[in-house]
Amino acid sequence: MDNIPFLYLETSLNNEVLSMNVHLSADLKTEVLNKPVSEIFDVWHAKQGGKLIQARLNNKGYIFLKEQFTDYGIIYVGITSQELENKSSELQELQRINRHLDAVIENSYDGIYITNKDGVTLRTNSAIERITGIPKEYYLNKKVDDLIKRGILEDSVTHKVMEKKRSVSLVQLNYSGKETLLTGNPVFNEQGEVESVVTNVRDLSDLNGLQIALRKANELNESYQKEIERLKRSESFIDGKTVVENEQMRIIYDTAKRIANVSATVLILGETGVGKDVLAKYIYNESERRRSGKFIKVNCGAIPSHLLESELFGYAGGAFTGASKNGKPGMFELADKGFLFLDEIGEMPLDLQVKLLRVIQEREIQRVGGTSTKKVDVRLLAATNRNLKEMVQEGKFREDLYYRLNVVPIVIPPLRERKEEIHELIKLFLKDINEKYGMKKELNAELISFFYRHNWPGNIRELSNLLEQIVLLNSVDRLELEHLPAEYKMESNAQPIVVNETMTLKTAVEAAEENLLKQAAEKYTTTYDLAKALDTSQPTIVRKLKKYNVRLKGRDRNL
């Protein structure tokens, strides 16, 4: 036994140790005779029906082959093999990974179809049944050529992958008439040869259904967006800064939005301070040109006539004394691909009107002192507070230029004709002024009522300037009629409500509501008492008090 180059062990039929060779006894190092062999080793585990024993002692692994040689004894012949144990562990890990891969393949929503290089089906998954209507077992061990002949497949992506040795995709109708996308991917061996092909089968009818649903959802979303835009136009603000509550102003801004991306010249007419430049900037912001060019504004009435030409068209180097040797681009060049807004166009001299007309007609400019022309792509907006038609008749404005500018005329009404916007304008400007100067000023009901009665010859600009003036010149937080400048105080003594042809029914009703609430608020201390006295609901009273900024008697804050 000692000459055998293996571990040798003899036991009785009940597995008690009878003898062993020196190779094994050297490992055991203790007296083991007549002891059960399972007690000698830390692990004694029989496999393959008891013919193979896997044992362990002191972190050392053993493999024994078992054989019964007499009616009274059993022999075990074995070896120590850490490498064998490692291989066993690797095998177990590979088995675990294969189980995971099997689960991934089987649970894939797309069909998985694997063939060898000869086109024989090696495996597939259950999804192939849902997509094709044919049990997956039918495909196994069948060649794709046979499936094509039987009409189950229309074309073979496997052959194309083998031929081109790269991924190949094709769309075809399957056996059940569904449109499918087949994508085959090659699997290469160590020699770089294709040994198998993995094909992914996707049911496009599901995707097509999703695309139809998505398109319908997008169409519905677009209709919602249009409705939101329509509702926005009915609100008091545009871009959070421009008050548009008057119906005529809503029509104006709706028109401005519709013409934002046309090339026609727009002529904005209206009194000083009505918001002509605000409308011009709105058209620019709504147009696609805001992405490609700038919004350039030129006040034709603020620049001396002898300088206006060089400001508009630029000048060449050395064109006049003091001119830069490199020249300077004019506003037309700076506005290329964008907008040029000519404010107070009625103040432009006649000689410049000729040059402006040529630019509009030919779309090119020539710098002062220059000899060459340059093409420009400019969307032109113009504005004035003057009556250009009368100026044409008086010979102060060119008739041909007038008709060139008057392609899309927009007339902005004065503030006295849209007094329903005054309340929102006050809130907007007062908020901006308070934020600008770090204040918390507010107006009482009498002062707000005066703002409704005033005629506003200077329009919105006058309103904004007056608010800023009384905020800065008075230290109290609650502003009243007495804080108005002297020129406004005489007017403030007039009757609070005067209904005339320039006041809409809505404005008159609001003014009456505000005065009634103010008078009642001096008498009652709770909104419930006030609602009872005015025969209306308490929530309505709360809403109206907030709207007109009216306080109840004894209250220290606005409701």
Side-chain angles (χ1 to χ4, degrees), residues 439 441 469-476 479 482-484:
M439 297 180 177
K441 301 294 180 74
Q469 184 179 357
I470 61 177
V471 165
L472 294 178
L473 295 181
N474 296 282
S475 58
V476 298
L479 300 170
E482 63 184 58
H483 299 117
L484 285 170

Side-chain angles (χ1 to χ4, degrees), residues 5 58 75 91 113 164 183 216 222 279 289 299 322 327 341 371 391 395 397 411-412 414 426 509 535 549 555:
N58 298 326
I75 64 171
L91 178 61
Y113 190 85
K164 299 182 179 180
T183 301
K216 290 181 178 178
E222 186 177 349
L279 179 62
R289 281 180 174 260
N299 191 322
F341 176 43
T371 57
M391 292 180 66
F397 200 86
V411 181
I412 301 180
I426 291 173
V509 170
D535 193 24
N549 198 25
R555 295 295 180 96

Side-chain angles (χ1 to χ4, degrees), residues 252-270:
I252 287 173
Y253 271 84
D254 183 64
T255 301
K257 187 179 182 68
R258 286 188 286 106
I259 64 169
N261 288 308
V262 300
S263 59
T265 302
V266 178
L267 179 61
I268 306 173
L269 304 170

Side-chain angles (χ1 to χ4, degrees), residues 300-525:
C300 301
I303 303 174
S305 58
H306 63 282
L307 296 179
L308 184 57
E309 181 179 6
S310 60
E311 282 295 314
L312 287 174
F313 307 113
Y315 58 82
F320 50 83
T321 303
S324 170
K325 64 179 180 179
N326 296 322
K328 180 183 176 182
M331 297 302 180
F332 270 98
E333 291 181 68
L334 296 177
D336 192 34
K337 308 297 182 185
F339 275 65
L340 179 63
F341 176 43
L342 299 178
D343 198 10
E344 303 300 343
I345 188 70
E347 308 299 326
M348 179 176 286
L350 284 169
D351 57 334
L352 278 185
Q353 293 179 26
V354 177
K355 291 191 175 184
L356 176 61
L357 180 63
R358 187 175 68 85
V359 173
I360 295 174
Q361 292 174 335
E362 301 178 11
R363 300 288 179 179
E364 62 181 22
I365 57 103
Q366 182 176 334
R367 291 186 179 185
V368 175
T371 57
S372 60
T373 59
K374 180 179 181 179
K375 288 287 184 182
V376 289
D377 178 15
V378 175
R379 174 80 184 278
L380 195 64
L381 304 179
T384 183
N385 61 351
R386 303 182 64 178
N387 190 324
L388 292 185
K389 201 162 188 179
E390 288 184 0
M391 292 180 66
V392 169
Q393 294 172 354
E394 296 169 358
K396 297 179 181 178
F397 200 86
R398 292 187 61 93
E399 185 176 17
D400 47 5
L401 178 59
Y402 169 73
Y403 287 112
R404 279 287 185 178
L405 296 176
N406 198 42
V407 177
V408 181
I410 297 178
V411 181
I412 301 180
L415 185 57
R416 61 183 173 272
E417 295 179 10
R418 45 188 173 112
K419 286 193 173 182
E420 59 267 46
E421 296 183 346
I422 288 178
H423 191 264
E424 293 298 336
L425 285 169
I426 291 173
K427 288 168 57 178
L428 177 65
F429 292 143
L430 192 59
K431 177 178 178 292
D432 290 344
I433 294 168
N434 279 331
E435 289 179 355
K436 180 179 179 181
Y437 297 108
M439 297 180 177
K440 295 182 179 179
K441 301 294 180 74
E442 57 185 33
L443 312 185
N444 75 349
E446 291 92 340
L447 185 54
I448 293 176
S449 180
F450 164 78
F451 274 72
Y452 274 99
R453 298 195 310 271
H454 185 59
N455 201 41
W456 301 111
N459 293 290
I460 298 174
R461 187 176 296 126
E462 180 188 358
L463 172 61
S464 174
N465 290 344
L466 178 59
L467 277 172
E468 189 164 10
Q469 184 179 357
I470 61 177
V471 165
L472 294 178
L473 295 181
N474 296 282
S475 58
V476 298
D477 285 340
R478 186 168 178 78
L479 300 170
E480 302 178 0
L481 284 174
E482 63 184 58
H483 299 117
L484 285 170
E487 61 269 26
Y488 290 92
K489 284 183 178 179
M490 291 182 62
E491 183 183 345
S492 69
N493 295 325
Q495 292 297 319
I497 300 178
V498 178
V499 179
N500 54 56
E501 67 276 8
T502 64
M503 179 179 287
T504 64
L505 178 60
K506 179 182 177 183
T507 304
V509 170
E510 288 179 342
E513 270 187 350
E514 183 178 350
N515 278 341
L516 181 60
L517 284 170
K518 174 189 169 296
Q519 293 173 22
E522 291 295 323
K523 183 177 180 181
Y524 300 96
T525 58

Side-chain angles (χ1 to χ4, degrees), residues 258-289:
R258 286 188 286 106
I259 64 169
N261 288 308
V262 300
S263 59
T265 302
V266 178
L267 179 61
I268 306 173
L269 304 170
E271 297 178 4
T272 298
V274 293
K276 297 187 291 294
D277 54 342
V278 174
L279 179 62
K281 194 64 180 287
Y282 174 78
I283 296 173
Y284 167 75
N285 288 330
E286 289 294 316
S287 74
E288 292 298 324
R289 281 180 174 260

